Amino acid sequence: MKLQEYQSKRIFSQFGVPIPQGDVAATAAEARAIAERLGTKVVVKAQVLVGGRGKAGGIKLADSPADAEAVADRILGMEIKGLPVRKVLLDEAATIRDELYLGLVIDRARQRVVMMGSSEGGVDIEDVAAKTPEKIIKIAIDPFIGLRDYQARELALGMGLARELIGPFVSIAGGLYRAFLGSDASLAEINPLVVTGDGDGGYGTPPLLGVDGKMVLDDNGLFRHRTLAEMRDVDEETAEEREARQNGLSYVKLDGNIGCMVNGAGLAMATMDITKLYGGAPANFLDIGGGAQADKVAAALRIILSDPNVKAVLFNIFGGITRCDEVATGILAALEQVPTDVPMVARLVGTNEEEGQAILASAAMPTASTLAEAAQKAVAAAQGR
Ligand code: GDP
Ligand code: MN
């Protein structure tokens, strides 16, 4: 689950990372009130779950509360990369001397959380990685020992930070790591981490300030973070993804035109591979899990059919704990709720397979006895053959 910038930064702040003063607004009038309260020059920032908001015009400085109101009004009317801007963050504007990058990701190959730092902050870190990879410094963190100060210092030195910034940097690195661990995150990023001050009297302003924040949380950890789970944004997932989550289905939309409903992640992967092998392209990954009841199957089929790209549906069910008759009942229930002329083919084997096939036969649903046959039929149907 992705968090908005303001949510990520609040979490960072709870773990000791300095961030600008600020608050979120859903209307221009609220934005003005926040700017009045801050009493400084502010930056008005679109809260949308995509990067590159600055380049898209979603981040603007405002000199006065009236200006903040006007700017917020404009940004709240924008769409950025297809997402409507529903909220803006108003932060005390930072005086920026330099922009750094600091991030944490999970490196599966190393089986470690890796902290990355770069002197080239503020821009897409992917661009830095592609053009000047030597400017990204990485350290791997031992999960049992945690981030050690000497590692953070090594990172700071590698990034070429001035001596007086090393202490504050080590503290921020530690805070970010604790925020990452404490939230079961899979990504935590400050870009830019700003070197503040330009001699205009920024007394009291920390020398380093987290101006942008991004966090991705592991959905599988959310059950133990109720307050984080409640932060889920309406635009964080599509309507289909939401329905899938609420029904306990694992669903990932893809670009192809063959909807796949399968029980078990491994079987789902194999089904997608075989569909590809016969020249088709899966429209989704969908695992209904073990022991799915008819209502879950019906929800899964509704989700598949709501994708206008779907030209055929392939059911591949290996009955174990899951009973084929339950699945067949769910399929027919969904077809009553959402009548469709999308062609379908079902391969149901295992527990209660005869009962399941009899139910499908009563609805004249084409069946197949092997996965190869089912995949070929689905590919042919999707191609209108
Ligand atoms: P992103 O474009 O979605 O990554 O949003 P950011 O929050 O990173 O902002 C993009 C850029 O806007 C930053 O790299 C800064 O250059 C600039 N910016 C953001 N906040 C401030 C601010 O408070 N003051 C100034 N002067 N520039 C800012
Ligand atoms: Mn940024």
Side-chain angles (χ1 to χ4, degrees):
M1 174 176 116
K2 290 182 192 162
L3 294 182
Q4 295 283 8
E5 172 195 4
Y6 77 94
Q7 298 169 321
S8 307
K9 288 200 302 201
R10 280 178 190 170
I11 294 171
F12 294 168
S13 160
Q14 285 162 11
F15 287 89
V17 176
I19 61 163
Q21 299 272 349
D23 208 350
V24 269
T27 66
E30 280 171 31
R32 181 188 187 119
I34 293 166
E36 271 163 6
R37 210 159 61 230
L38 291 171
T40 58
K41 196 170 165 178
V42 296
V43 56
V44 185
K45 311 182 76 176
Q47 298 299 287
V48 281
L49 294 168
V50 289
R53 296 163 303 159
K55 273 185 220 148
I59 294 179
K60 292 272 182 278
L61 291 164
D63 285 324
S64 66
D67 195 13
E69 182 175 5
V71 169
D73 189 53
R74 228 178 321 125
I75 294 180
L76 283 166
M78 286 173 57
E79 250 188 27
I80 298 180
K81 298 181 185 168
L83 291 175
V85 181
R86 301 181 206 274
K87 283 186 183 137
V88 286
L89 170 66
L90 285 99
D91 267 355
E92 191 176 322
T95 326
I96 298 182
R97 196 149 50 130
D98 209 352
E99 302 196 25
L100 313 171
Y101 173 93
L102 184 65
L104 284 163
V105 290
I106 295 170
D107 185 327
R108 286 169 200 277
R110 291 203 232 187
Q111 304 186 341
R112 291 278 191 278
V113 171
V114 166
M115 184 170 266
M116 295 186 291
S118 177
S119 55
E120 309 299 298
V123 293
D124 285 342
I125 199 66
E126 290 81 0
D127 289 346
V128 181
K131 288 178 203 140
T132 48
E134 71 282 1
K135 292 202 168 146
I136 300 179
I137 318 295
K138 295 181 187 174
I139 49 169
I141 302 171
D142 185 305
F144 294 108
I145 300 174
L147 176 71
R148 307 308 305 267
D149 284 359
Y150 82 86
Q151 292 183 298
R153 275 197 297 275
E154 247 174 50
L155 199 63
L157 292 172
M159 290 163 66
L161 287 198
R163 182 179 289 267
E164 69 274 15
L165 294 177
I166 293 180
F169 179 85
V170 169
S171 156
I172 289 173
L176 189 65
Y177 181 64
R178 288 192 307 277
F180 180 94
L181 275 193
S183 315
D184 287 324
S186 55
L187 180 140
E189 193 178 79
I190 307 176
N191 186 24
L193 175 64
V194 156
V195 182
T196 60
D198 55 2
D200 72 345
Y203 294 107
T205 311
L208 292 174
L209 201 56
V211 157
D212 189 11
K214 180 174 171 185
M215 276 191 115
V216 180
L217 306 181
D218 183 343
D219 286 336
N220 294 312
L222 283 176
F223 75 96
R224 52 183 194 177
H225 303 287
R226 171 133 344 142
T227 49
L228 297 180
E230 282 165 2
M231 290 183 180
R232 193 184 289 277
D233 190 272
V234 283
D235 295 316
E236 205 270 327
E237 55 191 0
T238 62
E240 292 71 38
E241 284 165 345
R242 185 170 314 119
E243 192 177 2
R245 181 171 53 79
Q246 286 165 349
N247 283 286
L249 304 160
S250 304
Y251 170 77
V252 181
K253 188 182 166 352
L254 300 169
D255 297 331
N257 61 5
I258 300 178
C260 301
M261 190 198 297
V262 189
N263 64 326
L267 191 60
M269 301 297 276
T271 306
M272 291 160 58
D273 282 350
I274 292 191
T275 305
K276 278 253 179 200
L277 181 70
Y278 289 111
N284 63 276
F285 168 97
L286 197 161
D287 172 14
I288 61 170
Q293 305 279 303
D295 54 346
K296 202 169 175 181
V297 173
L301 187 53
R302 280 199 307 272
I303 293 168
I304 290 177
L305 291 174
S306 70
D307 177 354
N309 292 339
V310 168
K311 297 287 177 274
V313 178
L314 166 59
F315 302 97
N316 186 25
I317 302 297
F318 195 83
I321 320 170
T322 309
R323 289 167 33 203
C324 293
D325 57 322
E326 268 298 321
V327 172
T329 306
I331 292 172
L332 296 199
L335 290 177
E336 260 172 42
Q337 293 159 11
V338 245
T340 176
D341 44 22
V342 171
M344 304 188 180
V345 54
R347 178 210 178 213
L348 271 54
V349 295
T351 309
N352 291 5
E353 103 180 42
E354 290 83 8
E355 291 87 336
Q357 275 164 5
I359 294 170
L360 292 182
S362 74
M365 165 92 57
T367 57
S369 53
T370 67
L371 176 51
E373 182 194 346
Q376 282 168 300
K377 281 184 172 168
V379 171
Q383 292 168 352
R385 287 191 273 126

